[in-house]
Amino acid sequence: QLQLVESGGGLVQPGGSLRLSCTASEFVLHYYVIGWFRQAPGKEREGVSCVSISDPRTYYADSVKGRFIISRDNAENAVYLQMNNLKPEDTGVYFCAAQGPYHRVSVLCQATESEYPYWGQGTQVNVSS
């Protein structure tokens, strides 16, 4: 079973940056649609970003457009979420999730929780002065 591991969370001041990583030890993430979700205290989990397969299109929530960048590193078998100009409202637990595997097809990602059967344990991001 695919097991995802997130890392890179921490405490950062407003305006700062963090890079989150999503990795898997025994499965090739290149064959999976990967999504990043977050859950703020007292709120429901929401989709932040996702990356497609064999398709350059990505998704970003309106609240993070222009500040977050999702990318794949196939050599490192990782998907990153670069978060810039962080705001206190970005605080929460960030999860990566996967759907697949898909081979020899293009799959457009969607930031819908029910589409993702595999989830990591999450990494905490705190944005505070």
Side-chain angles (χ1 to χ4, degrees):
Q1 171 132 355
L2 176 62
Q3 293 184 330
L4 301 170
V5 178
E6 304 95 336
S7 61
L11 174 63
V12 64
Q13 292 185 343
S17 298
L18 286 173
R19 188 179 78 161
L20 305 183
S21 300
C22 177
T23 59
S25 60
E26 299 182 2
F27 292 82
V28 179
L29 292 184
H30 174 72
Y31 298 118
Y32 292 81
V33 171
I34 302 296
W36 282 98
F37 296 79
R38 69 185 180 188
Q39 187 165 22
K43 295 186 177 180
E44 294 187 352
R45 193 157 54 185
E46 64 172 344
V48 175
S49 182
C50 65
V51 60
S52 305
I53 290 178
S54 299
D55 189 304
R57 286 175 286 180
T58 52
Y59 164 84
Y60 296 97
D62 288 342
S63 58
V64 307
K65 280 182 182 176
R67 301 188 296 122
F68 290 13
I69 301 172
I70 191 170
S71 62
R72 290 185 184 270
D73 186 336
N74 293 335
E76 296 294 326
N77 197 34
V79 174
Y80 302 115
L81 185 67
Q82 177 68 44
M83 307 187 297
N84 300 319
N85 190 21
L86 283 161
K87 303 176 181 181
E89 51 264 42
D90 294 317
T91 293
V93 180
Y94 284 69
F95 302 87
C96 73
Q99 56 168 290
Y102 301 105
H103 299 277
R104 301 180 182 178
V105 295
S106 295
V107 181
L108 180 63
C109 75
Q110 296 181 5
T112 305
E113 282 192 55
S114 60
E115 297 290 327
Y116 294 84
Y118 308 107
W119 290 79
Q121 293 300 308
T123 184
Q124 178 71 45
V125 171
N126 289 311
V127 185
S128 175
S129 55

